[in-house]
Amino acid sequence: MLKFDIFLSALANGLLTGAVYALIALGLTLIYGVLHIINFAHGATLTLAMFAVFVAHQAFGLDPYIAVFILTPLFFVLGYALQRFVITPASHGDDGNILLVTLGISIIIENALLAVFRSDTRSIDVPYGFSVMEIGPLFLSTPKVIAFVATLGVAGLLWLLLARSDTGKAIRAVAKEKTGASLCGIDVAHVYAVTFGIGTACLAIAACLLMPTFLVNPRVGNAFVLVAFTIVVLGGMGSIGGALAGGLIIGVVESLSGLYFGESLGQIGIFLIFLVVLLFRPTGLFGAKA
Amino acid sequence: MLEVQDLVAGYGAMPVLRGVSLNVGAGEVVAVLGANGVGKTTLNRALSGLIRAERGSIRFEGEAIERLDPAGIVARGLIHVPEGRKIFPNMTVRENLELGAYRRARANRSRNLEQAFTTFPRLREREAQLAGTLSGGEQQMLAIGRGLMAEPKLLILDEPSLGLSPLLVEELFALIANIAAQGLAVMLVEQNVVQSLELAARAYVLANGEVALSGEANVLARDPELEKTYLGM
Ligand SMILES: Nc1ncnc2c1ncn2[C@@H]1O[C@H](COP(=O)(O)OP(=O)(O)OP(=O)(O)O)[C@@H](O)[C@H]1O
Ligand SMILES: [Mg+2]
């Protein structure tokens, strides 16, 4: 019985962690699905967002759950501007250049953060940081449960936006058929920038959900984004549902293999699953058939 | 309605169009013919702002549009149904049609959607089907329907009959005749010379980046030069 409780708790914690992975992967997969580029600045942007949460808390006394309502629109605008006024002009329409430009942006962000904050690891103190909720036989970290619920909410909203709104339809149209979209009068450059903005805004939300229980240093984003890349491929490049399911699966796999093989081997399970899925479904779990 | 003067356009060093002049009057059906690779699609792309005119002028209802982006040109009512259909394969038939009214005639969207379904009953049956799973003929109907959703003043059709069975081509031309009869100006780019010349009032034949031949469609249809110029490439 005790064994089962431990298993259940590892499972639940995996789902909770996986949700934040999913949120990070969501932004990445959306940008890939529409712009067909891999945003190498995703990790650094997440780090930047986490520092923004840190500063909002230390300098302005803003709780992360309040800061999220300021940082999300702010990061949307940041992403929009980056794509429209930096990435597009600097890459001259060449996809190879886009990779280099996003890589360059990530280096600039990381070094700027290093210069300002040094390489120290920092965290914020919130009164509910260590509070737990009792759900059935489980004791779960309250901020993680909040992160889980919020992620599902964000994914649901994103799905609604894409499925129902005119902007969402324009995004889906541009994703598959740029020329056709232009000929309907859709401003493709604007749609690209909006999509990049949404992907970036997802990072601000993820940062606000992470900071109550996590720490930040100028390189922290990379670890998350490596996992997020795995999720994006696993779920099927460009698939929203795939990113969500992939994130949860990865979270659970990491947690369970940590339980059975030891903490340090947790990540090995991720890559095992990754390899097995790709062996049998090269386009990912939810990817369109090639 | 549409006046093109000395249009030069292409893709880099060698322009494909080297000074094309033509015009389409209000309510007129004009055919544009020419051998493969002569630049018909390039002309359409320049007219709808997908590529920039290097030189020359394009006027639509008296207004210079050669510097406008595609969205601005769509907003003015010049609608281009492109070669290869360019529908949205990942979206339903209904969503495809709705997006036709993204920039223009949005207020009349539901009325025009009903109109499109009346014009193309087969699209109504497949309203919720993903456009990518439609047959070639149905996709062409969808592309035209999507164009009509914007309430065009001038409709450019680039090889609408491409890949359709003779029976379907027949149906398509009847449909275009119908659309034109409602007073819409149509610029029809086609390989189907005989049928296009039956439908159009006037025609232009492109060769070597220029207009090689032009005139009344029924006169051109009997012109022995047409075959020579047209197939001469
Ligand atoms: N994106 C492009 N980049 C470079 N060259 C191009 C591009 N698109 C077309 N061309 C070239 O421009 C020329 C004209 O092409 P275009 O598509 O306008 O011909 P077309 O008259 O429409 O032919 P078809 O009847 O086969 O459709 C061709 O030689 C083609 O190879
Ligand atoms: Mg062509």
Side-chain angles (χ1 to χ4, degrees):
Chain A
M1 199 61 215
L2 185 69
K3 270 229 166 99
F4 186 67
D5 276 5
I6 293 176
F7 168 81
L8 217 55
S9 142
L11 186 72
N13 272 304
L15 283 175
L16 299 187
T17 314
V20 180
Y21 289 161
L23 190 51
I24 298 164
L26 223 53
L28 200 60
T29 209
L30 184 67
I31 292 172
Y32 177 82
V34 178
L35 285 76
H36 314 295
I37 58 167
I38 290 168
N39 174 22
F40 277 119
H42 211 64
T45 312
L46 175 63
T47 316
L48 182 70
M50 289 171 79
F51 270 110
V53 179
F54 174 78
V55 170
H57 186 264
Q58 300 305 103
F60 305 104
L62 273 180
D63 186 272
Y65 297 148
I66 301 204
V68 70
F69 295 101
I70 300 163
L71 290 178
T72 306
L74 206 65
F75 270 71
F76 173 83
V77 172
L78 175 76
Y80 186 100
L82 262 184
Q83 151 62 22
R84 186 136 204 193
F85 305 117
V86 180
I87 298 175
T88 302
S91 50
H92 302 284
D94 179 85
D95 284 357
N97 286 345
I98 295 180
L99 290 187
L100 292 180
V101 173
T102 60
L103 200 62
I105 292 172
S106 84
I107 294 171
I108 291 171
I109 294 177
E110 254 177 38
N111 283 288
L113 290 173
L114 264 174
V116 177
F117 296 99
R118 311 276 157 223
S119 55
D120 307 342
T121 289
R122 297 157 201 265
S123 58
I124 56 173
D125 257 325
V126 286
Y128 48 82
F130 292 100
S131 74
V132 286
M133 288 169 89
E134 196 181 338
I135 299 176
L138 300 171
F139 292 90
L140 299 173
S141 150
T142 309
K144 286 191 170 179
V145 172
I146 291 174
F148 180 80
V149 173
T151 296
L152 293 187
V154 169
L157 279 178
L158 206 55
W159 182 82
L160 261 184
L161 174 94
L162 288 172
R164 297 289 161 80
S165 74
D166 282 332
T167 304
K169 287 176 188 172
I171 290 176
R172 280 155 60 214
V174 169
K176 281 281 159 28
E177 184 43 73
K178 258 194 332 193
T179 307
S182 289
L183 292 177
C184 288
I186 295 170
D187 181 347
V188 173
H190 174 70
V191 166
Y192 274 180
V194 166
T195 306
F196 207 91
I198 295 174
T200 307
C202 284
L203 293 177
I205 301 174
C208 293
L209 297 173
L210 274 172
M211 278 310 280
T213 55
F214 216 75
L215 38 84
V216 58
N217 64 53
R219 300 208 182 284
V220 73
N222 293 334
F224 283 101
V225 169
L226 199 63
V227 177
F229 273 126
T230 317
I231 293 166
V232 168
V233 178
L234 188 67
M237 311 279 283
S239 158
I240 300 279
L244 192 62
L248 297 178
I249 291 171
I250 289 293
V252 167
V253 167
E254 182 186 44
S255 171
L256 291 185
S257 50
L259 177 68
Y260 291 113
F261 309 129
E263 208 50 60
S264 57
L265 290 180
Q267 302 243 321
I268 285 187
I270 296 182
F271 294 104
L272 277 180
I273 287 279
F274 182 65
L275 286 178
V276 169
V277 168
L278 287 192
L279 264 175
F280 292 103
R281 273 197 68 99
T283 52
L285 288 174
F286 294 80
K289 286 166 198 73
Chain B
M1 165 153 276
L2 178 73
E3 290 140 33
V4 181
Q5 274 292 326
D6 298 321
L7 177 67
V8 177
Y11 310 92
M14 264 288 281
V16 176
L17 305 176
R18 298 181 287 126
V20 168
S21 301
L22 54 80
N23 55 67
V24 180
E28 198 181 18
V29 179
V30 171
V32 175
L33 310 171
N36 287 118
V38 78
K40 305 181 296 295
T41 298
T42 306
L43 170 66
N44 294 342
R45 290 168 63 84
L47 295 181
S48 52
L50 290 173
I51 57 170
R52 281 261 164 272
E54 284 164 37
R55 260 179 294 130
S57 74
I58 306 170
R59 302 184 80 79
F60 186 61
E61 297 196 298
E63 183 190 2
I65 59 165
E66 69 267 4
R67 296 267 154 259
L68 293 180
D69 63 0
I73 291 172
V74 168
R76 281 159 179 76
L78 197 169
I79 307 297
H80 170 186
V81 177
E83 184 178 71
R85 289 114 197 202
K86 311 287 186 201
I87 54 162
F88 309 119
N90 54 329
M91 304 177 78
T92 65
V93 165
R94 188 196 186 89
E95 286 174 325
N96 266 270
L97 289 172
E98 283 174 346
L99 279 170
Y102 184 84
R103 179 69 52 188
R104 199 177 138 80
R106 199 185 283 204
N108 300 336
R109 190 160 76 178
S110 44
R111 196 195 69 198
N112 290 337
L113 188 68
E114 193 47 44
Q115 176 79 49
F117 281 148
T118 311
T119 313
F120 305 104
R122 257 178 294 181
L123 294 184
R124 192 197 298 273
E125 291 162 24
R126 294 177 163 70
E127 189 185 339
Q129 191 174 326
L130 289 185
T133 64
L134 294 177
S135 77
E138 290 161 353
Q139 292 194 8
Q140 188 59 56
M141 304 293 165
L142 180 59
I144 296 174
R146 187 180 68 183
L148 291 174
M149 287 294 292
E151 299 184 356
K153 292 177 180 165
L154 169 64
L155 188 67
I156 298 180
L157 299 171
D158 195 339
E159 304 215 20
S161 72
L162 195 71
L164 304 190
S165 71
L167 206 67
L168 219 54
V169 172
E170 207 60 57
E171 195 180 314
L172 180 87
F173 272 88
L175 188 112
I176 299 170
N178 245 328
I179 294 171
Q182 289 160 26
L184 182 63
V186 177
M187 186 171 131
L188 181 62
V189 175
E190 263 295 338
Q191 303 276 358
N192 250 312
V193 183
V194 176
Q195 271 156 309
S196 306
L197 289 180
E198 268 170 27
L199 184 65
R202 292 188 301 114
Y204 294 88
V205 182
L206 297 185
N208 299 318
E210 291 168 2
V211 173
L213 212 59
S214 69
E216 303 284 322
N218 51 8
V219 178
L220 273 179
R222 282 179 271 113
D223 189 342
E225 277 289 296
L226 174 67
E227 291 279 295
K228 206 179 115 211
T229 324
Y230 182 68
L231 299 170
M233 296 225 23

